[in-house]
Amino acid sequence: MSGSQSVPQQDSSPLAAAAQPRVPSSPTREAIRTARRVVVKIGSSSISHPDGGLDRAKLDKLATVLEERMCAGSDVFVVSSGAISAGITPLKLHKRPRDIATKQAAAAVGQVELAKAWGESFDRYGRTVAQVLLTASDLGKRDRARNAQNTLDRIRLLHGVPIINENDTVATDEIRFGDNDRLAALVAHLVSADALILLSDVDGLYDSDPRQGNATFIPEVAHPAVIDGVEAGDGGALGTGGMASKLSSALLAADAGVPVLLAASYEADAALRDASVGTVFMARPKRMTAKKFWVRYSADNAGTLIVDEGAAAAVRRRRSLLAAGVVTGEGDFHGGDVVEVRTREGELVGRGIVSYAAGEMEFMYRMSTDELPKDMHAPVIHADDLVLV
């Protein structure tokens, strides 16, 4: 496959109607259709005017579709982009800001506008919305992730509609999720969702850029190898995510055991009703445990352990990492932190929860278990706390 692109479309685009053929039914689409708990991510362009500011007609239409899904029996968690875009008009900006301080200022204003708009739209159906703002560090710490999980679950039990967004007013380039596609994938696992639906201005996955002609639509991705060699683009003028982030996030969620549908917001009705549009990503048969998911995708990386060839091979066989195989370490980590495991050449082998602090490890490198004090006989990283990457 030489490359894959999706086409940014507007509701009235004739290419949108012509490019994508009728998709065949599949077990993955059926799983999404019948999903009891659904996370729906909505991109900035799906609820904004091209020059910034919220498009209430688009937002109201999406709220109606979400309401219909909830009336059909599903719990819906909404991950909504659009805060920065929503702040453009009130601050009298002429375009999406580029510098971080102005972005955060626009987000601070726009979050109010966004929450108000969703609240008014769902109020038509007698529903209350709750604004939930998260940063990468919130899900990188297990206790804070559990608090977020408990909050979202209680909102659901109280029949509220969670409107989730990255907290752009405090996030920085170093700690931000990068886009709300990834945030949606992390939230999908956090709330034990049965399906993730990514709605934006793209109508699915193609084997090449359909704007150049002769592109073939890909209705289902059964394995990551299907999209090897994909050349994905960046986000549009109003958003931070592009096809690259959508593919990465869809594969992340699917790897965790959550089936994913990538569809255009103008086809939200069909996407939420029966998953008969867009591209679906098949989930791994067995859902990843919460701890392993946290270690692999969410946890902050506190340091690195450099291991020899034998230890790297043992870790790849899902064996515990012992001190004898650790050459050296980097970072100021503590017992219980998540660290990377790398070879001496820098190849990433896995991530795991380390048993000892960096200071303790300085006296353990290359030592066999028999050479260590009895209180240091535990593995540096137990096999149960290791995740290959």
Side-chain angles (χ1 to χ4, degrees):
M1 189 182 301
S2 60
S4 178
Q5 297 284 342
S6 59
V7 185
Q9 304 288 356
Q10 299 299 324
D11 299 22
S12 58
S13 172
L15 181 58
Q20 183 180 308
R22 182 177 179 83
V23 295
S25 180
S26 72
T28 301
R29 291 186 187 276
E30 181 64 13
I32 295 171
R33 184 187 72 81
T34 59
R36 179 68 176 79
R37 188 173 295 190
V38 184
V39 172
V40 181
K41 184 266 178 177
I42 298 170
S44 295
S45 62
S46 300
I47 56 174
S48 303
H49 292 292
D51 296 327
L54 294 176
D55 186 327
R56 287 300 301 269
K58 287 182 179 179
L59 191 146
D60 286 346
K61 183 178 179 181
L62 286 169
T64 296
V65 172
L66 295 169
E67 171 66 17
E68 290 173 353
R69 180 70 186 232
M70 287 185 282
C71 288
S74 294
D75 294 322
V76 175
F77 300 79
V78 180
V79 176
S80 175
S81 298
I84 295 177
S85 176
I88 291 176
T89 299
L91 289 176
K92 297 180 174 57
L93 302 174
H94 301 295
K95 59 183 179 179
R96 181 183 174 91
R98 293 182 179 273
D99 65 285
I100 188 68
T102 309
K103 284 181 180 179
Q104 291 176 324
V109 173
Q111 287 290 2
V112 177
E113 298 293 319
L114 187 64
K116 179 181 177 183
W118 279 115
E120 291 175 351
S121 193
F122 274 110
D123 186 58
R124 298 175 300 159
Y125 304 106
R127 291 193 186 271
T128 299
V129 305
Q131 183 186 58
V132 181
L133 301 178
L134 299 172
T135 65
S137 59
D138 292 325
L139 300 188
K141 304 295 184 183
R142 295 191 73 185
D143 56 343
R144 292 166 70 175
R146 280 193 295 267
N147 288 339
Q149 180 185 41
N150 292 337
T151 298
L152 290 168
D153 197 51
R154 183 52 57 94
I155 293 169
R156 177 189 64 84
L157 290 173
L158 294 173
H159 307 291
V161 183
I163 306 296
I164 307 160
N165 197 355
E166 183 173 14
N167 193 352
D168 292 308
T169 59
V170 298
T172 67
D173 288 339
E174 288 75 22
I175 65 173
R176 59 185 292 112
F177 292 107
D179 55 79
N180 274 338
D181 296 314
R182 179 174 175 83
L183 172 58
L186 296 175
V187 168
H189 191 273
L190 185 71
V191 301
S192 300
D194 303 306
L196 168 63
I197 299 176
L198 302 175
L199 297 177
S200 64
D201 57 355
V202 300
D203 67 339
L205 187 63
Y206 294 80
D207 64 355
S208 61
D209 189 342
R211 290 169 294 193
Q212 305 302 318
N214 300 318
T216 301
F217 173 71
I218 302 173
E220 183 157 351
V221 176
H223 189 274
V226 173
I227 56 174
D228 282 348
V230 164
E231 296 178 2
D234 296 327
L238 292 175
T240 58
M243 181 51 75
S245 74
K246 291 172 178 58
L247 290 181
S248 175
S249 301
L251 293 174
L252 186 161
D255 182 55
V258 181
V260 182
L261 171 62
L262 170 62
S265 59
Y266 58 80
E267 295 183 306
D269 184 44
L272 271 292
R273 183 181 63 251
D274 56 16
S276 61
V277 295
T279 298
V280 293
F281 294 75
M282 184 185 299
R284 65 184 293 170
K286 185 177 181 181
R287 187 179 289 261
M288 191 180 293
T289 66
K291 182 169 76 170
K292 292 218 179 247
F293 182 89
W294 177 76
V295 169
R296 181 166 185 174
Y297 293 115
S298 299
D300 294 338
N301 179 52
T304 302
L305 295 177
I306 309 300
V307 301
D308 61 27
E309 293 77 6
V315 169
R316 292 189 179 101
R317 296 195 303 272
R318 302 182 187 280
R319 304 286 181 83
S320 295
L321 176 62
L322 304 180
V326 182
V327 178
T328 187
E330 301 172 356
D332 184 22
F333 53 84
H334 303 276
D337 286 345
V338 172
V339 298
E340 292 182 342
V341 178
R342 292 184 178 269
T343 66
R344 280 181 279 206
E345 292 73 31
E347 179 186 357
L348 180 61
V349 180
R351 285 162 59 90
I353 302 174
V354 67
S355 301
Y356 306 97
E360 295 174 302
M361 286 297 306
E362 290 180 0
F363 301 97
M364 301 174 65
Y365 298 140
R366 309 310 301 265
M367 295 182 67
S368 68
T369 302
D370 291 339
E371 296 176 299
L372 292 168
K374 288 186 178 181
D375 61 350
M376 290 184 172
H377 281 193
V380 174
I381 301 178
H382 194 279
D384 291 343
D385 297 329
L386 266 169
V387 177
L388 300 182
V389 295

